[in-house]
Amino acid sequence: MADCRVLVSLNGGEAKALPATPSSHTDLIDAVRALSGFGPGAELVVQWLDEDGDTITVSSDQEWAEALSTANSAGLLVIQVAASGDLSVANEEPAPRDPRVSDAESWVMVEAEAAAASAHNSVTSTATQNGGVEDEAEQLRLAAKASEASAAAEVEARAAAVEAEARELAEAEAVVARLDEEEKVAREEQEEKDRLAAMAMANPAEVAAAARMEAAQDQRRVLAEEEARARGAIQEEHSRALALREEEQRQAEAAEAAANAAEAAAASVAAAMEQTRCSVDADSWTLILQLSEMGFGEDFERLRQVLADHDQDITRAVEALSASA
């Protein structure tokens, strides 16, 4: 990628642009040494972030070519260089990395500077495409937009740092709470050991008295539990007896109701029988009783009507009743 612009952040410091795009890993290392002023005693490790946010180390020409292929739409590639070993320089020594800035925040700050540089390139490109028209107001607006993008990225980096610090604080508090709990358990165990040791060193008579008192307490506790169980059994038996009496009472009431109903039905049948007997002659009543005994029911009025419809002929009456059954 011949027109790719490479921004270098050395040990998390301010990003600087290389004067030209290195064509190989060796050219890249030489360009970084020239930019930083480090001599051959400095060990340089080049890294970049892929689209998934993973840190990729560049150590060969092929890996450098892959990094160049990931340059953004503005032709920018941001890399970080970790320098170690002999960092003495011929010119001025680069500013040391701020220990309060995490790796993630460092990448975000470098990306912010890259965004500002991209916006600056956009301003320059816009002026060129418009034939070099010197519209100062438009240039100021684009510059302000680039500044806003850089400020937003820096705020995001600071927010990430605050979040990381909050996580570390929460983890520290959890560790402190765990240590406090372990200390509490250890203290309780030691107090129990001290109590047992004190008992062992006490007067034998006092130890025996304490043992008898503890045994008496255990006995009272056992008696109380047995009494509670006995009371529970009595209460359960009482509940069963009460339920049995209630069930017997319900059955007796049901039997009485059934008997009353049967008695009322019998009285009703007897009344109907008497009413029908009084309304017919003796021969007709004899025929009605014969039909009832033959299984045609005790509706004597109906039996009387069937006999009347068939001229008191019991044979025809039986046939009619059988046909209607």
Side-chain angles (χ1 to χ4, degrees):
M1 193 175 201
D3 57 348
C4 176
R5 186 183 183 196
V6 180
L7 296 181
V8 180
S9 173
L10 186 61
N11 283 345
E14 179 182 358
K16 298 180 181 180
L18 294 179
T21 303
S23 60
S24 66
H25 177 257
T26 302
D27 292 344
L28 172 62
I29 296 300
D30 291 342
V32 173
R33 289 189 188 280
L35 182 67
S36 62
F38 289 153
E43 297 181 4
L44 305 179
V45 177
V46 179
Q47 295 178 326
W48 60 282
L49 287 181
D50 64 8
E51 59 183 5
D52 297 326
D54 297 328
T55 302
I56 308 299
T57 300
V58 178
S59 58
S60 66
D61 293 346
Q62 182 179 358
E63 292 173 347
W64 175 238
E66 180 182 356
L68 289 175
S69 68
T70 63
N72 61 25
S73 59
L76 291 174
L77 173 63
V78 180
I79 63 174
Q80 283 209 38
V81 177
S84 59
D86 183 6
L87 302 183
S88 60
V89 295
N91 301 319
E92 70 173 312
E93 184 176 356
R97 179 174 179 175
D98 188 345
R100 297 171 299 176
V101 179
S102 64
D103 290 339
E105 183 183 1
S106 176
W107 275 113
V108 173
M109 293 174 67
V110 172
E111 292 289 356
E113 293 173 359
S118 177
H120 176 73
N121 290 343
S122 177
V123 172
T124 304
S125 176
T126 300
T128 301
Q129 293 174 2
N130 285 279
V133 178
E134 298 180 354
D135 189 347
E136 184 177 357
E138 178 65 12
Q139 292 182 11
L140 289 175
R141 185 185 68 80
L142 293 176
K145 183 177 180 181
S147 178
E148 290 176 1
S150 177
E154 185 174 355
V155 169
E156 182 179 355
R158 294 303 177 187
V162 171
E163 183 179 355
E165 184 177 354
R167 272 197 311 272
E168 293 176 357
L169 180 60
E171 293 173 357
E173 290 177 349
V175 171
V176 170
R178 179 175 58 80
L179 293 176
D180 289 343
E181 182 63 23
E182 292 177 355
E183 182 180 357
K184 178 183 177 182
V185 172
R187 185 169 59 251
E188 292 176 351
E189 292 177 352
Q190 186 61 43
E191 290 176 354
E192 180 64 15
K193 291 179 181 179
D194 294 342
R195 186 184 69 83
L196 295 176
M199 289 181 60
M201 297 176 62
N203 188 301
E206 294 178 355
V207 174
R212 287 193 299 272
M213 182 179 297
E214 185 173 357
Q217 291 176 349
D218 292 341
Q219 183 65 25
R220 285 195 294 271
R221 184 170 59 254
V222 171
L223 292 176
E225 293 174 355
E226 292 179 353
E227 182 181 359
R229 285 196 294 270
R231 289 181 178 178
I234 293 173
Q235 182 65 31
E236 185 177 354
E237 184 64 25
H238 176 73
S239 299
R240 281 200 298 268
L242 181 60
L244 181 60
R245 284 197 298 271
E246 291 177 351
E247 180 62 24
E248 291 175 350
Q249 183 176 358
R250 284 195 296 270
Q251 292 179 358
E253 292 175 351
E256 183 179 359
N260 292 337
E263 183 178 354
S268 177
V269 170
M273 182 186 298
E274 182 63 20
Q275 181 179 2
T276 303
R277 187 186 66 77
C278 294
S279 63
V280 298
D281 55 36
D283 293 337
S284 296
W285 178 244
T286 300
L287 295 175
I288 291 172
L289 290 179
Q290 289 179 359
L291 290 174
S292 177
E293 291 174 356
M294 291 171 67
F296 292 110
E298 296 180 347
D299 188 351
F300 300 110
E301 180 60 26
R302 174 172 171 270
L303 297 178
R304 184 195 65 77
Q305 185 64 44
V306 172
L307 284 171
D309 293 342
H310 295 83
D311 299 328
Q312 304 300 316
D313 186 341
I314 192 170
T315 301
R316 291 169 58 197
V318 168
E319 292 175 354
L321 290 170
S322 299
S324 63

